[in-house]
Structure formats: structure tokens, C-alpha cells
Amino acid sequence: MASHLRPAGSSSSANLSSSPSSAFKNETKVVSRLVSVPRKSGLSTWVAGIHSRMQGRRRHVQLHSSNGHHLNPVPLQDDGGLVSREAMKPQERDEVSIHISEDETEGSTLSITVVGASGDLAKKKIFPALFALYYEDWLPKDFTVFGYARTMLTDEELRNMISRTLTCRIDQRANCEDKMNQFLKRCFYHAGQYDSEEDFRELDKKLKEKEAGKLSNRLFYLSVPPNIFVDVVRGASLRASSVYGWTRVIVEKPFGRDSESSGELTRCLKQYLSEDQIFRIDHYLGKELVENLSVLRFSNLVFEPLWSRTCIRNVQLIFSEDFGTEGRGGYFDNYGIIRDIMQNHLLQILALFAMESPVSLDAEDIRNEKVKVLRSMKKLELEDVIIGQYKGHNKGGKSYPGYTDDPTVPNDSLTPTFAAAALFINNARWDGVPFLMKAGKALHTRRAEIRVQFRHVPGNLYRQNFGTHLDKATNELVLRVQPDEAIYLKINNKVPGLEMRLDRSDLNLLYRARYPREIPDAYERLLLDAIEGERRLFIRSDELDAAWSLFTPMLNELEYKKIAPELYPYGSRGPVGAHYLAAKYNVRWGDLSGDDD
Ligand SMILES: NC(=O)C1=CN([C@@H]2O[C@H](COP(=O)(O)OP(=O)(O)OC[C@H]3O[C@@H](n4cnc5c(N)ncnc54)[C@H](OP(=O)(O)O)[C@@H]3O)[C@@H](O)[C@H]2O)C=CC1
Ligand SMILES: O=C1O[C@H](COP(=O)(O)O)[C@@H](O)[C@H](O)[C@H]1O
């Protein structure tokens, strides 16, 4: 597992970490090793096997097989590998001699190309995340960043543009200005059309110049609208991929808008890339609290035994934003909140929440378990969904626009900006437990959280102390993903004093109090994972298929029947329909209980 083994700075896990600078130290060492390769697997499959099973501290190495064949660089454990001869019977293995050259700075270089560099996401998230990685010494010593887009810019103009959004994560960090200038010197720009192979050939020339004959690994980040993905992948793969190193492509969402278009996108991408090269990003998987979900569950005895229909009454996955689609109405109107947030971010969290314990922390083992959950789910039906759309509203002398006031949105748009849904997992662990999702824009608050409401205590001795509000007396575990990350458990507690009075209190793990260090942005974690070839937090194509097949029939029906969304005022708590949906399954939304608003 990648992230928990990285240098941890001032955190309490520092004893697990290696020093970032040593990870890319400037030394060249070559060692030869006789290794056992599972027969029939082929060397490259086996190398991928090492890669995906990596644990322990990382070293970046080059592998060359005894026949001189070049292999992709992989991180190895400190002891030099994970190959256990003993684990394979003699008839099951071949012996292969490989030469491992630890040639981290002299031998290889990393080129990161941000395609769509002039756009919102690149400026807002990607360049700042790259800078943060650079600042914290996470990037290899030898790296170059290229921006690619149609807008004509010079290198200097790109640097000016991105310097406006680069921040030192913690105010007054030492040498921030210097570091920023050093980073910007590594940034270059190439103007080109997305569908021009010739322009990608020109990019390739510039990349080669910077790579100066070293073995190059290339990462492309597709930060462009989805209709351009395939053109870019064609150009990048045919004209600008690395000859000897690896080439990986991070693909932004949306991955299609239904099962068919998503399948088509995957087919098109796979004409040019193997599944291993495609890193489908869902940035919610890179959020600290989402990353912590498995740790909480699988490394604390107190939670796992409760994690099933026996003790859990319902699970709520809640996303809300206190702003509308400002500036992104054109994109949003073609997708709507269900495709924008539920089918990906919330469903991914659900899968992580509900999966069985994976065989290991290996990316494939985890993704196998997630797919099983998704494939066990009942297809979402229209009767289990309610939709809403925000309308203009005046408050405190200020007027807030409605969704359709956006000039890029048609006046008669039925696109939902809010949705609530009840989902079910038809397996032994979760049979009958409602998983309620709620996502909306232009609501009263910005928040993302996972709420787990537990069942009543059978025969509760203190029943009379709760009056008729038994629902209010059940335990609730809340993982607040953002803002102000926290994990808290609502418990019933005796109020100190001579009388027997109970109240609801929180056992509270507030991150800013417990961990007084800045939490990295999700894009930092995910970019680093892609650079390191760690796929655990990226979406595999079968996960994507399963996710779309859950939602597609309902989305089609919604559109075909032209279901009108319930209007709700900008800045409100959303449509009342969400309460009726929850009530249908005997659930109260935890975020609206008034307990912790
Ligand atoms: N912005 C966000 O917060 C988020 C975005 N995403 C996804 O990330 C990707 C990029 O998003 P974002 O930066 O907002 O997108 P933008 O609309 O800002 O587009 C990025 C760049 O692509 C080029 N471009 C835009 N429209 C077209 C077009 N119709 N034809 C050709 N080129 C075009 C423009 O560059 P130029 O004209 O210079 O070529 C633009 O600067 C999208 O897939 C989006 O869905 C995902 C999560 C959040
Ligand atoms: O993917 C998306 O996410 C953002 C919300 O991300 P966050 O990290 O700021 O919570 C959302 O605004 C956008 O509509 C959606 O495309």
C-alpha cells in the first residue's frame, strides 16, 4: 500500500518512513540477481507482479533481463525484492537472471504533461498539487512539467499563469519563494491541437530535449473535456510516449455518461493504451478520510464486528456544496448531479465502506472486493430516487441565481442539481440495510460525510430516559470527509450529577486538534500514486462497468420520462422529497438532525 509508507514529516508514523530525498538519491548501483519467475507468466507479467505486491520502503530501480530486454522500472522492498522461491514449486518456476540498476537520477527522468493546462482544473488543482509534491521532495530529482493546450502561451506566460495558484500549503513555510521559482523553472509549455498527431510529435521533440537522452518515464494528465480524451490519447500514445520507460495516462472524469458511452470510451482508450497504463481518477478516493476508511475498519477490533446488518441500521453518504454550478453549467447540464457525484464519488466510498476484507492491500485485491460489492447491488430504481434543481433566491439583501439563470444552461433544463437515492446491497452482510445517498449544489453548507446509524440497544435499560425519541438514542458514527476532517461517535452518556439524566455526546477525533499538520490535497496523493504506479485508488474498468450498470437504467428512465426536479431555493437544505425518501426506509438524515449542524 503506497501512502502509509511514505515519509510522514512530523506525524506520529515517522518511524515507518524513509527520507524523501533518499528515495531519489543520486547514486548508480548495479546488482545482478537470479530470480524465480512463475512458469507461463512471462517476465513482464512477473515484473508487474512485483510491482503490485510492493510493500515496505520504496526504491526506484531499472530492470534489465538477462537477454538484454528492457523492463519497466519498479519499486522494490529494501531487501531487493519480493520473490519467494520457496513459494513456488520447482516445476512451477523458471530461473531468470536480471540486472537491477539503481540509477535513479542519472538513469531516468520523469516528464509530466498536463493536457488542458489552460483550464480550470489544471490551474486550481494539478499544478498546485505538483508544486506541493515538489516542495515536500516527493518528485524524483530529475523531472519536467509540460503544459499542453491550444491557447498560445510562452513558457513564461504559463509560469505566470500557474504561479498565481501555487501556494505553500502552510503559511510562512521556509524557502517557499525559492522553491516556487525552482519549480517554475521546470515548467514548460507547448501549444497544440488535441487531435493533431503532428503537434504531439513536436511535444515529443521538446520532451526529448529536456530528457537529454536519459531513460524517460512519461505521465500525461488529461485535464480536458471528455469528448477530447481519445484524440489526446491517440496523439500522446502514437507520437509522444516513452520508448523505453513507462507511459501512463491519468484520465479525469466523467468516464462516459452511461454504460454504453463508458464502454465505448474504454474500448477507444484501449486501442492505444493497456489497462495498466490507464489511471481513471476519482479524486474522492484520494481524500484523507476516505483513505482512512479501511484503516478504521480493518485495524480496529471495535468496528469490524459491528460492520453488518446485525448492528447497522443504515448508512448515509452525503455531499453538499454551498455554491452552484457557477462557470461549469455547460458541462454540468449534460451530466447532472447523479453522474457528477453519485455514480462515482459516493459510490466509490460506498464500495470501500461495504467491501469484504481484501486478501491483501494490493490494488487488485482491493479492487476485486469493491467490484464484488458493486455487482451485488440492486439496480437503482426510479422510485428510490428523488431529484431537485436550485432556483434563484434573495437573502440578506443579496440575490442568488437559479441554475437555469446560467446563460450556458437551457431555460427549460430538467437537469438535477440535487438528488437523493436509496441503494441496497444484496449480500449476506448488508441484506436490507439502506445505503442512502444525497448530493446537491447550492445548499446551505459545504460538506461531505459518511454517517453510520446503528440499531437500538435491545431491551435498553435506560429506555425511559429517551422518551419517544428512540431513533435519537442510537449510536451514530460520522466520518467527516470535509471540511474540518473528523471522526466522531455519538454515544449516550450520563450527565454528571446526582440525577440520572442522559445526553448525547461525541467521542471526537478532530483532525486539526490531533494532527496539527496540513492535510495533503487529494490530487497530491493521486498524482504521486500514478507516478509510483500504485493503482489502488484508481478505477479499474470492471468497477466502472459495474457502477454504470447500477445507474444507467434509472438515468435513462429519468430522461425518457422527463421527470421534473423539485425546485429548492439556493442556499436551502434541499427538496423535502429527500425526507420522504428517507422516511420510506424509516431513516432520518443525520446531517439534518440538528445535533451537529
Ligand atoms: N474543474 C473542476 O473542478 C473539475 C473538473 N473535472 C474534469 O477535469 C477535466 C478538465 O476540467 P476543467 O479544467 O474544468 O475543464 P475546462 O473546461 O477548463 O477545459 C480545460 C481546457 O480544455 C480546453 N477546452 C475546453 N473546452 C474545449 C472544447 N470544447 N474543445 C477543445 N478544447 C477545449 C481548453 O483549453 P484550450 O482552449 O487552451 O485548448 C481548456 O482550458 C474535465 O474532464 C472535467 O470534467 C473533474 C473534477 C473537477
Ligand atoms: O468531481 C467533482 O467534484 C467537485 C467537488 O470536489 P471537492 O473536492 O471540492 O469536494 C464538484 O464541485 C464538481 O462538480 C465535480 O465534478
Side-chain angles (χ1 to χ4, degrees):
M1 174 129 158
S3 321
H4 68 269
L5 294 156
R6 292 182 186 138
S10 61
S11 95
S12 54
S13 60
N15 57 342
L16 284 176
S17 62
S18 61
S19 126
S21 49
S22 74
F24 299 106
K25 63 187 186 300
N26 189 3
E27 270 174 28
T28 304
K29 219 170 31 179
V30 180
V31 281
S32 297
R33 222 174 268 276
L34 194 66
V35 293
S36 301
V37 184
R39 187 157 290 162
K40 292 193 212 132
S41 71
L43 197 51
S44 54
T45 325
W46 172 78
V47 169
I50 293 183
H51 193 162
S52 63
R53 267 181 283 125
M54 66 198 172
Q55 290 169 359
R57 236 168 64 172
R58 286 150 182 235
R59 290 182 299 159
H60 284 245
V61 299
Q62 289 304 130
L63 291 181
H64 300 270
S65 69
S66 47
N67 62 9
H69 194 78
H70 173 78
L71 298 163
N72 277 345
V74 297
L76 295 181
Q77 252 188 330
D78 268 349
D79 63 6
L82 294 167
V83 189
S84 160
R85 284 181 91 242
E86 293 69 33
M88 286 179 262
K89 296 189 189 114
Q91 67 273 23
E92 290 172 348
R93 68 178 187 238
D94 286 331
E95 308 280 27
V96 180
S97 162
I98 59 167
H99 309 292
I100 306 173
S101 62
E102 285 186 40
D103 191 0
E104 292 135 7
T105 53
E106 295 303 312
S108 71
T109 172
L110 171 68
S111 300
I112 303 166
T113 303
V114 181
V115 184
S118 56
D120 180 57
L121 186 73
K123 283 185 268 194
K124 212 170 59 184
K125 292 289 185 184
I126 304 168
F127 288 115
L130 287 171
F131 172 59
L133 290 175
Y134 174 71
Y135 186 90
E136 303 280 350
D137 281 335
W138 281 114
L139 293 181
K141 200 161 177 232
D142 197 344
F143 78 94
T144 306
V145 177
F146 260 84
Y148 185 106
R150 297 170 308 178
T151 304
M152 297 304 291
L153 293 176
T154 61
D155 292 343
E156 215 38 53
E157 283 166 335
L158 173 86
R159 290 170 189 157
N160 281 337
M161 182 183 83
I162 60 182
S163 65
R164 282 177 229 130
T165 51
L166 299 189
T167 50
C168 294
R169 276 209 252 107
I170 298 172
D171 289 343
Q172 283 136 28
R173 291 290 289 269
N175 307 323
C176 183
E177 197 71 22
D178 291 352
K179 282 274 202 177
M180 223 179 250
N181 290 331
Q182 288 158 16
F183 174 77
L184 290 171
K185 277 190 200 144
R186 312 271 197 114
C187 296
F188 303 90
Y189 186 74
H190 181 70
Q193 298 298 317
Y194 300 113
D195 59 357
S196 162
E197 288 184 31
E198 197 40 48
D199 289 347
F200 278 97
R201 202 197 302 272
E202 290 302 313
L203 171 72
D204 183 58
K205 276 191 204 154
K206 288 191 182 172
L207 289 172
K208 282 192 176 124
E209 250 172 56
K210 305 292 173 209
E211 290 161 357
K214 293 177 186 166
L215 182 131
S216 65
N217 295 314
R218 292 188 180 173
L219 178 66
F220 290 86
Y221 196 122
L222 266 53
S223 184
V224 284
N227 56 320
I228 305 163
F229 288 169
V230 179
D231 283 341
V232 174
V233 164
R234 184 187 309 112
S237 129
L238 297 180
R239 303 295 167 214
S241 59
S242 169
V243 180
Y244 295 113
W246 51 253
T247 301
R248 297 180 187 142
V249 180
I250 299 182
V251 185
E252 258 298 345
K253 61 179 267 270
F255 316 116
R257 64 188 304 285
D258 52 25
S259 290
E260 202 185 329
S261 52
S262 162
E264 181 58 18
L265 177 61
T266 299
R267 269 190 297 285
C268 292
L269 294 180
K270 285 192 177 172
Q271 283 178 14
Y272 306 104
L273 300 170
S274 65
E275 177 67 23
D276 268 6
Q277 293 179 284
I278 306 173
F279 287 69
R280 296 178 192 85
I281 198 166
D282 182 317
H283 76 280
Y284 265 65
L285 290 181
K287 298 212 180 235
E288 190 61 42
L289 264 280
V290 177
E291 174 81 329
N292 192 37
L293 191 50
S294 298
V295 179
L296 189 76
R297 237 189 108 179
F298 296 123
S299 69
N300 291 293
L301 184 66
V302 291
F303 291 117
E304 186 52 20
L306 307 181
W307 225 253
S308 74
R309 64 192 301 277
T310 316
C311 296
I312 292 179
R313 199 155 47 105
N314 67 75
V315 181
Q316 304 177 15
L317 304 151
I318 298 171
F319 167 95
S320 74
E321 277 180 343
D322 55 0
F323 49 90
T325 56
E326 287 94 336
R328 294 187 73 217
Y331 148 80
F332 192 87
D333 202 59
N334 193 26
Y335 290 91
I337 199 80
I338 298 175
R339 294 182 176 93
D340 192 44
I341 303 292
M342 280 188 172
Q343 180 272 349
N344 36 69
H345 303 329
L346 297 189
L347 191 64
Q348 282 297 319
I349 297 177
L350 182 152
L352 272 179
F353 179 96
M355 71 182 183
E356 297 299 316
S357 172
V359 174
S360 76
L361 293 173
D362 177 279
E364 299 321 318
D365 287 336
I366 293 174
R367 297 191 295 183
N368 287 345
E369 293 308 327
K370 282 166 65 196
V371 177
K372 282 191 212 159
V373 172
L374 297 175
R375 292 184 53 208
S376 305
M377 289 181 75
K378 177 173 169 257
K379 294 253 178 316
L380 188 52
E381 289 177 21
L382 200 51
E383 65 194 34
D384 282 332
V385 177
I386 73 104
I387 57 170
Q389 188 186 84
Y390 65 90
K391 60 180 182 184
H393 183 55
N394 292 317
K395 200 173 161 193
K398 207 175 160 204
S399 77
Y400 296 87
Y403 173 65
T404 53
D405 294 334
D406 181 332
T408 60
V409 171
N411 287 337
D412 57 353
S413 171
L414 297 179
T415 300
T417 58
F418 177 101
L423 295 109
F424 293 87
I425 304 172
N426 290 331
N427 67 14
R429 186 185 284 266
W430 297 114
D431 189 13
V433 177
F435 283 77
L436 292 187
M437 284 184 183
K438 186 165 68 160
K441 291 196 174 265
L443 293 170
H444 76 298
T445 186
R446 173 176 176 259
R447 96 165 83 197
E449 59 190 15
I450 307 162
R451 286 178 171 263
V452 188
Q453 294 188 342
F454 291 89
R455 293 193 186 279
H456 301 126
V457 175
N460 193 333
L461 278 177
Y462 294 94
R463 193 185 175 90
Q464 73 278 10
N465 295 69
F466 304 119
T468 51
H469 294 297
L470 259 186
D471 270 1
K472 283 198 150 189
T474 62
N475 297 121
E476 186 173 12
L477 175 68
V478 183
L479 281 81
R480 191 163 64 218
V481 176
Q482 66 186 33
D484 211 7
E485 291 81 350
I487 301 174
Y488 53 97
L489 178 65
K490 290 178 179 297
I491 57 160
N492 298 307
N493 200 48
K494 180 181 172 303
V495 178
L498 297 181
E499 72 281 25
M500 177 52 71
R501 200 156 60 80
L502 306 193
D503 78 355
R504 292 259 287 169
S505 295
D506 291 346
L507 297 179
N508 195 353
L509 173 58
L510 188 59
Y511 271 44
R512 81 180 127 79
R514 172 69 182 91
Y515 305 108
R517 69 190 294 256
E518 189 80 0
I519 293 178
D521 188 77
Y523 284 89
E524 290 170 41
R525 189 189 310 283
L526 294 168
L527 272 161
L528 188 56
D529 277 355
I531 291 167
E532 294 186 338
E534 168 60 73
R535 292 171 177 78
R536 185 174 46 93
L537 300 178
F538 294 89
I539 317 291
R540 211 167 59 184
S541 65
D542 54 347
E543 280 186 86
L544 185 60
D545 293 346
W548 275 122
S549 51
L550 253 180
F551 279 87
T552 297
M554 183 280 298
L555 285 165
N556 286 344
E557 201 178 341
L558 202 62
E559 279 161 18
Y560 168 73
K561 291 188 172 160
K562 295 192 189 321
I563 307 284
E566 183 183 334
L567 298 179
Y568 61 95
Y570 193 120
S572 69
R573 288 166 188 256
V576 282
H579 296 278
Y580 292 122
L581 177 68
K584 181 172 154 189
Y585 293 105
N586 204 14
V587 176
R588 292 157 65 101
W589 290 106
D591 62 326
L592 301 180
S593 67
D595 270 11
D596 50 9
D597 258 347

